[in-house]
Amino acid sequence: MDTALTDPSRPHRVPSPWTVRTSTPDPSRPRVLVAGGGIGGLATALALGRRGHDVLVLEQRSALTESGAGVRLAPRDFRLLHALGVGNAVRERSLTLDAFHVRDGSTGELLTAAKLPTRGRPSSPAHATAHRLDVYEPLLEACWELDSVRLHTDSRVIGHTRQGGTVRALLADGRTVTGDALILTDGARPGVHHDDAQPGRGVPGERLAVYRTIVPMDAVADRWQQSAAVCWVGGDWHLSHYPLPDYRYLNLTATRHHHTGDGLHGTRVDPDEVLGAFPGIAAAARDVLTTGRHWRALTLPARPPAADRAPGRIARVGDSGQEAQRPETSCLHQALEDAVALGDSWDASGTGVHAWLAAYDARRAERVRHSGTEHTSRHRQGHCADDLTLVDHVLSKDFAGSC
């Protein structure tokens, strides 16, 4: 039986049997420890490894792979992937989206159907979809080609200390690893959890509840099998879906804007529970929602969190300290943006860990200061990744070419 039918969190593509590189580090290079071998960790390793750093990626899982539902890729995501040298490889695996449709979630009425703009070469899609593995594997292959990047599995970072001119990462099995700097990714934050009680990360009543699944395309009506992203907008919720590469699956995400219940952390939920979270949904949208059988749910902060800084020899990549991203981006954009920013900050600051990470921290803090702006302000800056920002675009008169 296809595993995607029984567990939609797993991609249908079988990952390559990667082994772990354990080459000897070059003592003349700055040594950077990266906690987490997901997309953000590999993007960081790639950006720094190509600049002469000796990078050690510490992944808690026993295999280097990626799972999860699909992701949307906007023009800015491809620009970042190209900056990392993997844009073409990801583009070849992705599915170009031709249009974006907005429907009234309460009546089912089609509000507008907009053709998505393209940028750059005709072969470079401005908007596309992919499995997370379609982004992960090109990053992994690029890291594998660099002698400066080493990858260690079964290495969960549970803490860290700073001592003089070094930083030490404490691993779950009792080992310690020393480096000149430590980069903490969102997927591997020692002592930090995405808990709703964290200061600045939202309070009950100010959270998003996100329900995700992928649906075999043979269970989906023909009208939803086109290469278009569709967003149903309700008064306090929105539903989005789009096809994944090869059209075997439809990625389906339903978001409740003000969740007041318990926190959800990738929890499996019953289809009836999902339907119960969206009262008043139009019959057509409800029909789409009922195609989902294997749902997972999580809560996300709806407010921009407070700045999350770690000056000195420790830095963070991912969505922590940034605006709460809409679930359609799956935090992928923020991880890629931070990885590229780490590399650019090194170029701008020259050598020296403190100057480098201070420059990076300043860039990140600037983004935090702008993160509370409304959608219309974000889309003037070209930030067209999430569905609700695209809704603003297509309902405005300045949509054409604005992304």
Side-chain angles (χ1 to χ4, degrees):
M1 180 181 295
D2 192 325
T3 57
L5 302 183
T6 57
D7 185 358
S9 68
R10 298 180 61 184
H12 70 273
R13 187 192 300 272
V14 177
S16 302
W18 295 100
T19 56
V20 179
R21 167 168 288 169
T22 58
S23 57
T24 303
D26 184 343
S28 66
R29 297 170 172 168
R31 192 185 196 200
V32 180
L33 311 178
V34 178
I39 288 175
L42 294 187
T44 299
L46 188 57
L48 301 182
R50 285 181 170 164
R51 286 172 166 84
H53 295 66
D54 178 71
V55 184
L56 176 61
V57 177
L58 301 167
E59 168 55 43
Q60 64 181 339
R61 297 171 297 179
S62 59
L64 293 166
T65 187
E66 185 61 280
S67 62
V71 293
R72 281 259 302 280
L73 298 169
R76 59 179 186 165
D77 299 310
F78 278 105
R79 287 193 288 271
L80 293 169
L81 290 166
H82 278 294
L84 293 168
V86 298
N88 289 335
V90 174
R91 175 178 54 79
E92 291 172 359
R93 292 168 172 251
S94 67
L95 172 68
T96 304
L97 291 175
D98 298 329
F100 183 77
H101 298 172
V102 182
R103 290 183 172 270
D104 187 309
S106 299
T107 67
E109 175 189 1
L110 177 64
L111 299 179
T112 188
K115 183 179 180 180
L116 288 173
T118 59
R119 283 285 181 92
R121 302 186 304 276
S123 60
S124 299
H127 293 267
T129 72
H131 293 275
R132 290 187 67 85
L133 197 62
D134 294 327
V135 180
Y136 185 84
E137 282 192 337
L139 290 169
L140 183 59
E141 291 167 0
C143 286
W144 192 255
E145 293 174 356
L146 294 177
D147 290 335
S148 56
V149 175
R150 294 180 297 136
L151 309 166
H152 281 197
T153 56
D154 297 312
S155 300
R156 180 185 172 212
V157 178
I158 61 172
H160 53 75
T161 60
R162 280 171 282 187
Q163 185 173 7
T166 64
V167 60
R168 291 184 178 181
L170 174 63
L171 306 187
D173 60 6
R175 290 177 294 156
T176 59
V177 187
T178 302
D180 298 302
L182 171 64
I183 311 299
L184 303 173
T185 70
D186 249 7
R189 271 279 157 88
V192 177
H193 304 282
H194 290 290
D195 190 275
D196 299 313
Q198 284 183 357
R201 293 197 65 85
V203 297
E206 299 177 337
R207 295 173 298 169
L208 306 175
V210 184
Y211 304 86
R212 292 177 174 143
T213 190
I214 60 174
V215 182
M217 200 62 85
D218 58 11
V220 177
D222 291 344
R223 64 188 299 198
W224 310 126
Q225 297 188 23
Q226 55 190 317
S227 57
V230 181
C231 185
W232 308 72
V233 182
D236 199 31
W237 57 269
H238 73 282
L239 170 70
S240 64
H241 53 85
Y242 48 82
L244 293 175
D246 70 18
Y247 291 95
R248 290 183 60 196
Y249 298 98
L250 187 78
N251 194 90
L252 181 57
T253 303
T255 304
R256 164 63 60 186
H257 297 173
H258 296 284
H259 175 72
T260 57
D262 295 335
L264 306 168
H265 306 280
T267 311
R268 288 182 181 272
V269 292
D270 186 88
D272 290 338
E273 182 178 342
V274 178
L275 288 173
F278 299 90
I281 190 171
R286 184 183 178 88
D287 288 344
V288 175
L289 203 60
T290 55
T291 61
R293 290 290 180 268
H294 306 278
W295 292 90
R296 287 189 181 274
L298 71 156
T299 48
L300 296 173
R303 283 182 175 180
D308 185 12
R309 294 169 150 192
R313 294 185 174 271
I314 301 171
R316 307 185 189 278
V317 299
D319 72 338
S320 181
Q322 303 295 324
E323 178 183 8
Q325 296 288 327
R326 293 294 180 183
E328 292 79 17
T329 64
S330 301
C331 302
L332 178 144
H333 173 79
Q334 194 60 63
L336 297 177
E337 187 172 40
D338 283 345
V340 171
L342 273 170
D344 291 344
S345 298
W346 176 264
D347 295 339
S349 64
T351 59
V353 171
H354 284 283
W356 164 43
L357 294 185
Y360 169 70
D361 187 60
R363 290 189 183 209
R364 211 160 182 265
E366 182 66 21
R367 290 204 302 270
V368 171
R369 281 192 288 270
H370 291 289
S371 68
T373 58
E374 60 185 357
H375 287 300
T376 52
S377 298
R378 293 212 315 272
H379 84 238
R380 291 191 191 103
Q381 300 169 18
H383 291 187
C384 311
D386 65 76
D387 277 342
L388 294 189
T389 304
L390 277 172
V391 169
D392 288 343
H393 275 291
V394 300
L395 296 180
S396 70
K397 295 180 180 179
D398 62 344
F399 173 65
S402 61
C403 287

